[in-house]
Amino acid sequence: MTYRNHHYASGAALIAFAWTGVAAAQTAAAAGDAANNSGIAEIVVTANKRVQNLNDVGVTAAVVGGEMLKQQNLTSLSDVAARVPSLSYAAAPNGTPVYTLRGVGFYETSIGAYPSVSIYVDEIPLSFPVLTAHSTFDLERLEVLKGPQGTLFGQNATGGAINYIAAKPTSSFEAGASLTYGRFNQVDVEGYVSGPLAEGLKARIAGRAEFADGWQRSASRPGDRNGKVENYMGRFQLAWEPSSSLRFLLNVNGWKDKSETQAGQHIALQFQNENLSSPPGQFRNPAVVASPFSANDPRAADWSLSSSLYGPGKVPFADNDMIQASLRTDLDVGDFGTITALSAYTKFNQRQGNDSDGLPLNALDVPLTVGDIQTFFQELRFANDPHNPLRFVIGANYEWDKVFQEVNIDYSASSATIGFGQLFGFPLSVDTITNRQTMRNYAFFGNVEYDVIENLTLKGGIRYTNARNKANICQTDPQAPYNIGNVLKFFGAQFQGIPFQPYIPGECVAINVDSEALANGQFVPAVDYLPFGAIGAYQNTLKEDNISWRVGVDYKATPDVLLYVNVSKGYKAGSFPSITGSTLNQYVPARQESVLAYEAGLKATLIDRLLQFNLAGFYYDYKGKQLRTKLNDPTFGQLDVLRNIPKSSIKGFELEFTARPSDHLVVNAAYTYLDAKIDRFIGTNAGGDTGIDFAGTPIPYTPKHQISVSANYSQPLTSTINLFVGGTVNLRSSTIATLGGGENPSTINATNAGCVYCIRGYVVADAQIGIEDAGKRWRAFLWGKNIGNEYYWSNVVSGYDTVSRFAGRPATYGLTLSYSFR
């Protein structure tokens, strides 16, 4: 069945959409920033790694200006994703953000997984999604480039690229500060100081701190709360221009996150692994069965206050930090062009705990994850004079990444503990997975545009990428009496026909067996460097290369109407998973995926720049798309595994509209339609049913319909004070969180969840009202997010016995005061 939210049929958002006609909340936000009395202002982007007018570039992009980010209190990329149609955000159980753009995303929760949507700060990559958590502050604008961007932004931009454009040091002194107080005792403080230090030398320092009480309520302990916020972030920039032809920009930025991670909501029980259960439920923990399902309330949840691994101590917590230093050098070569060098080093440390089962028991908790990332990036490129009818960029870049992650899992309250204890004398309860990866990537690229005639431009680009990823994945038993180590050594000995030897602490214990072949009665090893049935670490080096390319045509039918067509081929690098399992074949990497993308669009500025209309249609032909699917593990039952889907496709269109009917009002709206389907794949569903033909199944995290409608109204109250009012309504139709999620698997027992793995459609409304100085020196306004307190969720995940969902935040509201000095 397909779960349909009654809100999707509700009239409010659809009537609002019809009232504004056709629309675009994307360009809307930027237009709301820059609107002036002469019409909708120009919007600039850096889609081709140089500043251009958005309406002159044959790409689809959403731009949110810095002032609009502040007015709508958008303080994270998840906030932005909720307002940009075709951009989706999913909360992973370990806190790693997952972004999907036009149905293109990569749901992999390990910190060392490259995304499908690349993220940059001033062209410096944040190579892994976990690094992007706290970059949305003191920005000039934020750009979302849609569609494959591989020729200029690299192999991991098959979905698109997101560019943070930080506010830069100024030539004159400026300073500003803001203070916010909101629901849950939210206190946010932000400020900056910018200006000249000496001749040719400017600096800017900005910072932000965020605090709030917990917003989730425990179902088992009235009065207990989770979700406390404590974040710190800062950015220092130093701009030096020793001559008119030479410029340097040093950027040192970082953040510290000491917040509590979100807990899941318990919504369903899974039947046990049939290998352990006869009759069903024989080994079920009565405390898990007796635990109530979470209420349909955004604040309802539960979490553990201790772990069998680490003793007393609240499981949801974080103590993570990131620091990055980058240097940009621009050297003008006469009137011919500019050489640009980008150098960056990034360091990330992770120490956090996550409760994903939504229970006060350790049915499936991750009480401690530790990890670190080190990244070095270097790019050198040359771009000729942008006013030349033949414009080109050529360059090369190199990236080195080293990633370590240790995931400690506690399932001591699960049926595995009871079942393996009674059947084999080894009550399984804890597990540790370590994943060490060293990645090296280098690329050569070129991009060219040629104005054949005044209003016709031909475009082309190509990039060669060579990638290597060396991985070592080890599953160990961290706790005496080492039950998981002993049981896996026992099973491995049975496969080999040798005597059982007790587990030695520190040994890697995944068995060299292909579990999928074993399910079909075939005794096949997973790797060739160990005997069949032996235990050990998974070791592999993934070597890949590819050639991305793009060709296109831009045609200016009139000075205000642009038609464009693009065809491109893009790639996403292969990836090793960080998952638990008993056999080595679960760590086999997914190899690189490829997409052949077709797009055609129209951009029109009409009625003397009072109306902006954009339309784009696209079709993506995917081969080897990387998705998390399921596998029946011979020991643990149903577990995650990373797979390449042989063939899938995405088609859709986007319709955008920005109108300025008066000097005081800007109205925006956007509609995105997506049809994202698996074309060919046979595998295992979320209930452990095997041999399922997934042809025609929707791709997870791809709502078919997305609508955003917003309006911003400004009116002078006096000669020095203006009133402003703003509002946004966002609608997303239903989607799924796993392949085949539209149907409840045969092994799910749910009482209040309906379609268990569905993500219900929803409508969320935000609003702001306030006053500001006509010169924008000060501002005071009230704001609200999710003002209707809509209950919605962005993800559904399965555990050993349980299924849980991650809800969006409830209604929040507050007051913001800001003042700037110029």
Side-chain angles (χ1 to χ4, degrees), residues 221-235:
R221 300 178 300 275
D224 196 5
R225 300 290 183 264
N226 181 61
K228 181 194 74 172
V229 174
E230 183 181 351
N231 300 319
Y232 309 89
M233 56 213 78
R235 184 183 296 124

Side-chain angles (χ1 to χ4, degrees), residues 428-480:
L428 308 185
S429 61
V430 294
D431 196 1
T432 295
I433 302 295
T434 60
N435 189 335
R436 302 175 188 271
Q437 298 181 70
T438 302
M439 297 100 140
R440 185 271 299 146
N441 309 286
Y442 65 81
F444 305 95
F445 60 90
N447 199 71
V448 63
E449 300 176 356
Y450 177 57
D451 298 333
V452 180
I453 55 178
E454 185 178 359
N455 59 347
L456 180 65
T457 301
L458 302 182
K459 307 175 296 185
I462 192 168
R463 172 186 287 253
Y464 170 76
T465 301
N466 186 289
R468 184 188 67 195
N469 186 351
K470 184 177 182 180
N472 184 300
I473 305 173
C474 179
Q475 180 176 230
T476 60
D477 193 331
Q479 187 181 67

Side-chain angles (χ1 to χ4, degrees), residues 8-53:
Y8 175 60
S10 71
L14 297 180
I15 291 172
F17 177 65
W19 173 69
T20 51
V22 200
Q26 301 146 297
T27 53
D33 275 357
N36 56 51
N37 291 335
S38 61
I40 299 170
E42 293 184 351
I43 304 166
V44 298
V45 293
T46 54
N48 293 318
K49 294 202 171 182
R50 63 175 183 270
V51 176
Q52 293 174 281
N53 183 346

